Amino acid sequence: MMREVYPRLLSLRYADQLAVSPGTGYDAAVKTGQGFRRCHQPEIYSSVWSKLVKRELLRQTQEMVPDHVTMGEDLVCTVYTLLFARSVTVTDYAPYHYQMRDDSASLSNVSFQPYQAMFEAADSALQNSPMRETHLMQLYAVLLDYVLLTQYEAFLQDEFSNFPFGNLNGRRMALYGAGKFGREIFRKTKALFPDRITLWVDQNYKTYQAADLPVEPVSRLLEAEYDIVVIALINEALCEEIKKHLTAVGVDGEKIRYVSVSLELLDATKRILQKQRNRLNKTKD
């Protein structure tokens, strides 16, 4: 299937708000119930490998990306490309597949500075966009991924401890998932709250056990004692599917939690990043 989309309505990394309705504001989208769950379903990604672009247009937009942007430069290039394109055609045909391994360099921990440079460059590209505020919120959603995957300890302390899974103080946690996010949660939580995680499960538990990680089969959720189950994935749609499966086999659905993007969570992310900027500025001074 192919369809033409008016470029002005295209988003950075997530599906256009467009999907809600032309002219509908971000806050209104949330209030009408279509909100983040629909707005953040991946449709047009920031990567350049998933697109065919006219040579003249790509040359023009690549030159607009500042040389100091070393992380997310494809996102900045995509922003300019979508803003300058006269038309965009979207297809659900996937002739090219990009596979990423756990040991990929792009998944390694990166300091905050490259993300800040990416954000500032994309923000500059959007200065004249009629949907700038909407796109900025989506940019913060991209940076939320960065905080969750590399700086999760920020959500374990101070005024941010109620995010992204609610208040966990004094509660026994069963952690579902041993991928990058799961390992980040396990490592950072154990360092600050050694007794909080009482069970760690994954479908591929044998693989992780071979790597000396204390991961058990998912069936242990039906036997162990815990107060909440945290699904360690950032894809909300996939988390919903996992929740359905777990409740179907007998896990209490009221105990299951996962990352659900909201205005409050994005605001907390903005404040966490601002603290990091302030620390960086003090270091420079």
Side-chain angles (χ1 to χ4, degrees):
M1 178 189 74
M2 300 184 72
R3 61 186 178 87
E4 188 167 336
V5 182
Y6 186 42
R8 177 177 167 222
L9 297 179
L10 296 174
S11 69
L12 307 182
R13 175 183 175 209
Y14 300 96
D16 37 41
Q17 185 159 352
L18 28 173
V20 180
S21 64
T24 299
Y26 208 77
D27 293 343
V30 176
K31 292 175 183 177
T32 58
Q34 298 181 66
F36 286 97
R37 182 170 299 175
R38 186 168 181 179
C39 292
H40 288 78
Q41 295 303 310
E43 181 172 343
I44 298 177
Y45 287 88
S46 61
S47 58
V48 294
W49 58 261
S50 60
K51 300 167 184 63
L52 291 175
V53 184
K54 282 188 175 181
R55 181 183 302 173
E56 295 77 11
L57 176 60
L58 187 59
R59 281 178 175 171
Q60 176 188 4
T61 55
Q62 282 184 326
E63 291 178 356
M64 293 178 175
V65 181
D67 291 338
H68 68 273
V69 178
T70 58
M71 169 66 66
E73 64 274 19
D74 52 349
L75 183 148
V76 180
C77 181
T78 297
V79 171
Y80 278 116
T81 301
L82 295 180
L83 291 175
F84 280 87
R86 293 182 179 178
S87 65
V88 176
T89 299
V90 180
T91 178
D92 57 2
Y93 172 58
Y96 184 90
H97 295 266
Y98 184 95
Q99 186 173 6
M100 190 175 290
R101 305 190 311 272
D102 280 349
D103 59 352
S104 169
S106 60
L107 289 179
S108 59
N109 287 356
V110 179
S111 64
F112 174 64
Q113 292 94 322
Y115 281 89
Q116 183 177 10
M118 175 202 72
F119 181 91
E120 291 173 351
D123 184 21
S124 177
L126 291 166
Q127 286 297 321
N128 297 319
S129 170
M131 295 181 67
R132 178 172 179 270
E133 292 304 316
T134 294
H135 291 317
L136 285 180
M137 294 302 290
Q138 294 171 328
L139 262 180
Y140 275 114
V142 174
L143 294 176
L144 168 63
D145 289 359
Y146 158 74
V147 175
L148 290 173
L149 292 172
T150 65
Q151 307 287 328
Y152 178 72
E153 68 274 13
F155 287 114
L156 295 173
Q157 307 170 71
D158 305 326
E159 71 268 30
F160 306 113
S161 59
N162 285 336
F163 300 98
F165 306 115
N167 193 330
L168 303 179
N169 292 334
R171 302 191 180 186
R172 299 167 298 174
M173 177 199 299
L175 181 62
Y176 180 107
K180 182 174 176 64
F181 188 28
R183 296 193 299 274
E184 173 75 2
I185 292 175
F186 183 83
R187 184 174 68 256
K188 300 295 178 62
T189 302
K190 280 292 184 181
L192 293 174
F193 304 100
D195 301 322
R196 176 173 290 178
I197 298 177
T198 59
L199 176 65
W200 192 10
V201 302
D202 193 280
Q203 294 283 4
N204 299 317
Y205 68 96
K206 291 183 179 179
T207 300
Y208 296 110
Q209 285 180 350
D212 294 325
L213 294 175
V215 183
E216 302 183 51
V218 176
S219 58
R220 286 280 290 125
L221 288 172
L222 302 178
E223 307 164 357
E225 294 185 358
Y226 50 82
D227 300 310
I228 62 169
V229 179
V230 167
I231 302 178
L233 287 93
I234 297 178
N235 185 314
E236 189 171 346
L238 184 55
C239 286
E240 290 176 349
E241 291 301 314
I242 293 172
K243 179 178 180 179
K244 289 178 183 178
H245 170 73
L246 293 178
T247 54
V249 299
V251 177
D252 185 354
E254 294 296 321
K255 295 183 177 181
I256 300 175
R257 300 182 185 181
Y258 51 84
V259 176
S260 180
V261 181
S262 64
L263 288 172
E264 292 78 10
L265 179 55
L266 292 184
D267 181 67
T269 302
K270 290 167 62 176
R271 287 184 282 130
I272 288 172
L273 295 173
Q274 186 59 54
K275 282 191 171 184
Q276 293 197 25
R277 289 193 193 96
N278 293 340
R279 283 197 294 269
L280 285 173
N281 291 336
K282 287 182 179 179
T283 302
K284 292 178 182 179
D285 295 339

